[in-house]
């Protein structure tokens, strides 16, 4: 491998079977459908998409919180979908998760000390006094203090709880952290505090993030590369700056244009998509996006598009680019 | 100047919490003119939702009270109204769009049944006329095949469609004032864009006023004519929307605008307001924002600033007090 990939996901699939009744056929929901991407050491990789696009399921499957239906997940070169439960447990200390809802993800019956002690105890890291010291250190780093040690989660505000959740994830000094919408439940002024904390931690410990979010302005600010998901598939991958300057896939263009303006005098040409995301139980044939796509052609409803590569690892899955490229530019310009 | 449809004067709201009395709203005054969209911005705990509930008369009877202040709607004083009188106004002259379309629609009634309720209460229409009115309003909010949708239940609709139904319900009786409490927070960005453009279309017609409660400055920039910034139960700043974004006066408003990721350089440290919003019982003397304010002076911790006003731009901050600048 030419580049140092920490995590490599290949053809990952996660299907859920939903029972419709005793004698009826089960429907299969393709939550994640043939997704491949790789994350370099030290980078922040973003998964963007609307609710139901499979971004959280992808995160959970990588961590092994749900089993993959098919596909491989390489972590430091090892395929973690095939290893035994006990090996997986040992590996878990190297990848951790920060959850979305700071109210639901902390055990209300445990004090901060107990919450932070648990990972150390389970993975048998350090001994007695050393553990206490470690907990103090980590609290300091995330901006809390010793005086908070014996309090319960309900005594904290949302921002502080998210700090505890982050402390719990970092205390084992993992290499890789999956952050599933870590700031979307927080107020604006607190949100920026938590983003700053995550950026600081990344510098200090050399962390690699998989950042799952629907908030494009946060993604533009803090990530290196972005994968855009729609109905369980990745439709576009690019470096963050490239993606925001030069989005190729019509869905990405619509997403970016839908972000509210930052100043009332700012004028933005907006692509307003019609309708809702189709149900993943019954995705449209061909390109999954063709039902809402403003540029849909005949071929889109028949054949699923292939990946088209542009410069610097920028790729998109769209029929607009599979044929001769000049033609397409006209389509976009004229519309 | 256009006439104001809603005027709130020195409103105070108290809540009884066991033996303690907390006051989440302290002296809030603002007005909404006919045809205007006014944004109320603030973080959770700033009192923006409580204010809107007071305007709708939906504050919980037993534990809350309004010790002083007035809410004038179309010249009528609302705070002293009886429940019976409220019912004539609610859903008829003032209507509300709630945040969570999933929980605010009744799951056991069809869309048609729920939409006919305000018509039954406020209008005398035959069944046929009712149905026609409902279908007309559903078409207006862009719901496809309304003739079938009225026989469906809320769970059969997606989040965006449910929010459209909520909006159509608020529109049914052609209210003079609509209150939208975080109407797009629970929705995805592309659906949010749909709903915002729908709200824009609705408010552009006639002299319909909208009070838009949100925490999202982007939504405010897009929708509103006038902005009221609330913090911990007080109005800290209020101004015309362009003026507010060009020349924010209060340090809290400045902090909010600066902390938007799009106003910071990529990968740099975001501007952050330190600390968090005080709870109503923690409010002490002095300016409420003083403990988080980067520009706080000694005076700020001792004396609460009055509202300084200049050309309608109001800011509650000692920084605005030069001797000639003080109005009031």
């Amino acid at each position: 491998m030419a580049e140092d990939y920490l995590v490599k996901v290949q053809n990952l699939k996660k299907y859920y079977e939903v029972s419709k009744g005793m004698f009826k056929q089960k429907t299969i929901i393709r939550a994640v459908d043939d997704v491949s991407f790789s994350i370099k050491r030290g980078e922040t990789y973003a998964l963007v998409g609307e609710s139901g696009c499979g971004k959280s399921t992808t995160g959970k499957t990588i961590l092994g919180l749900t089993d993959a239906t098919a596909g491989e997940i390489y972590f430091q070169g090892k395929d973690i979908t095939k290893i035994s439960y006990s090996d997986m447990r040992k590996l878990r200390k190297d990848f951790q998760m920060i959850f979305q809802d700071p109210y639901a993800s902390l055990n209300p019956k445990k004090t901060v000390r107990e919450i932070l002690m648990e990972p150390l105890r389970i993975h048998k890291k350090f001994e007695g006094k050393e553990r206490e010291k470690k907990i103090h250190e980590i609290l300091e780093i995330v901006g809390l203090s010793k005086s908070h040690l014996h309090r319960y989660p309900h005594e904290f505000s949302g921002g502080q709880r998210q700090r505890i959740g982050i402390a719990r994830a970092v205390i084992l000094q993992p290499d890789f952290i999956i952050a599933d919408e870590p700031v979307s439940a927080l107020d604006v002024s607190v949100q920026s505090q938590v983003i700053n904390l995550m950026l600081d931690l990344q510098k200090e410990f050399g962390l690699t993030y998989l950042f799952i979010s629907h908030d494009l302005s946060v993604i533009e600010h803090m990530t290196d590369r972005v994968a855009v998901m729609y109905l369980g598939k990745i439709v576009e991958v690019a470096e963050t700056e490239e993606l925001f300057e030069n989005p190729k896939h019509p869905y990405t263009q619509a997403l970016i244009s839908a972000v509210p303006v930052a100043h009332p005098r700012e004028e933005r040409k907006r692509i307003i998509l019609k309708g809702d995301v189709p149900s993943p139980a019954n995705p449209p044939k061909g390109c999954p996006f063709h039902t809402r796509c403003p540029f849909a052609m005949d071929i889109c409803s028949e054949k699923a598009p292939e990946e088209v590569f542009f410069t610097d690892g920028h790729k998109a899955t769209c029929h607009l680019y599979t044929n001769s490229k000049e033609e397409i530019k006209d389509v976009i310009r004229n519309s | 100047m256009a006439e104001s449809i809603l005027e709130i004067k020195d409103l105070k709201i108290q809540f009884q919490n066991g033996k303690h009395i907390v006051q989440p709203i302290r002296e809030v005054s603002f007005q909404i003119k006919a045809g205007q969209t006014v944004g109320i911005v603030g973080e959770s705990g700033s009192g923006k939702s409580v204010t809107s509930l007071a305007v709708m008369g939906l504050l919980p009877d037993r534990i809350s009270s309004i010790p002083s202040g007035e809410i004038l709607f179309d010249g009528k004083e609302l705070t002293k109204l009886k429940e019976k009188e409220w019912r004539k106004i609610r859903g008829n002259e003032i209507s509300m769009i709630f945040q969570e379309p999933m929980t605010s629609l009744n799951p056991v009634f069809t869309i048609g049944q729920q939409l006919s309720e305000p018509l039954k209460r406020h209008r005398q229409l035959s069944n046929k006329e009712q149905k026609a009115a409902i279908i007309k309003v559903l078409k207006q909010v862009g719901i496809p095949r309304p003739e079938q949708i009225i026989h469906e239940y809320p769970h059969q609709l997606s989040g965006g469609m449910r929010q459209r139904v909520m909006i159509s319900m608020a529109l049914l009786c052609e209210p003079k004032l609509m209150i939208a409490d975080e109407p797009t927070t629970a929705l995805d960005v592309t659906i949010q864009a749909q709903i915002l453009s729908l709200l824009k279309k609705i408010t552009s017609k006639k002299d319909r006023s909208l009070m838009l409660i949100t925490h999202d400055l982007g939504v405010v920039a897009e929708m509103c004519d006038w902005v009221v910034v609330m913090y911990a139960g007080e109005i800290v700043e209020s101004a015309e929307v362009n003026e507010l974004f060009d020349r924010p006066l209060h340090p809290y408003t400045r902090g909010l605008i600066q902390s938007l990721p799009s106003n910071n350089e990529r990968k740099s440290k975001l501007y952050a307001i330190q600390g968090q919003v005080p709870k109503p019982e923690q409010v002490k003397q002095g300016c409420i924002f003083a403990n988080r304010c980067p520009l706080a002076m000694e005076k700020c911790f001792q004396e609460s600033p009055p509202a300084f006003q200049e050309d309608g731009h109001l800011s509650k901050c000692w920084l605005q007090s030069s001797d000639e600048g003080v109005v009031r």
Side-chain angles (χ1 to χ4, degrees), chain B residues 32 93-97 167 170-171 175-180 199 202-203 208-212:
Chain B
I32 299 177
E93 293 179 61
I94 310 178
S95 62
M96 189 147 180
I97 301 163
I167 294 173
L171 276 175
K176 290 183 188 139
L177 174 68
M178 292 204 295
I179 303 174
L199 279 176
I202 289 168
T203 49
R208 208 168 267 151
S209 315
L210 177 68
M211 175 168 154
L212 182 72

Side-chain angles (χ1 to χ4, degrees), chain A residues 44 49-51 155 157 159-160 187-193 195-196 199-200 202 214 216-224 240-241 251 254-255 258-265 270 272-277 292, chain B residues 42-44 158 160-161 187-194 196-197 200 215-219 221-222 241-242 245-246 252 256 259-277 279 292:
Chain A
T44 306
E50 296 178 275
S51 45
E155 297 173 66
S157 68
Q160 286 174 318
D187 275 318
V188 207
S189 73
V190 182
Q191 181 175 322
S192 46
Q193 293 173 10
I195 291 174
N196 284 344
L199 287 171
D200 283 347
Q202 182 167 39
H214 69 277
L216 284 152
S217 56
V218 173
I219 283 183
E220 186 176 14
H221 184 77
M222 68 173 292
T223 65
D224 298 302
T240 307
E241 272 166 285
Y251 179 61
L255 262 190
V259 177
V261 293
H263 193 285
R265 266 196 278 272
R270 186 152 288 170
I272 290 187
L273 293 178
K274 282 179 229 110
D276 296 302
V277 184
R292 302 173 77 197
Chain B
E43 298 177 88
S44 42
S158 66
M161 293 277 272
L187 306 172
D188 282 317
V189 256
T190 58
I191 310 294
Q192 166 171 304
Q194 289 175 1
L196 288 184
S197 77
K200 242 187 231 171
H215 68 276
D216 190 337
L217 281 169
V219 172
E222 207 132 297
V241 67
N242 285 312
F245 279 85
D246 287 340
Y252 175 65
L256 274 188
S259 61
L260 292 177
S262 47
N263 289 343
N264 285 263
E265 209 178 306
R266 229 175 78 76
K267 285 271 174 188
S268 67
K269 231 177 153 82
L270 282 177
Y271 179 85
I273 305 172
Q274 296 309 318
Q276 48 232 312
V277 185
K279 299 209 177 85
R292 298 176 76 189

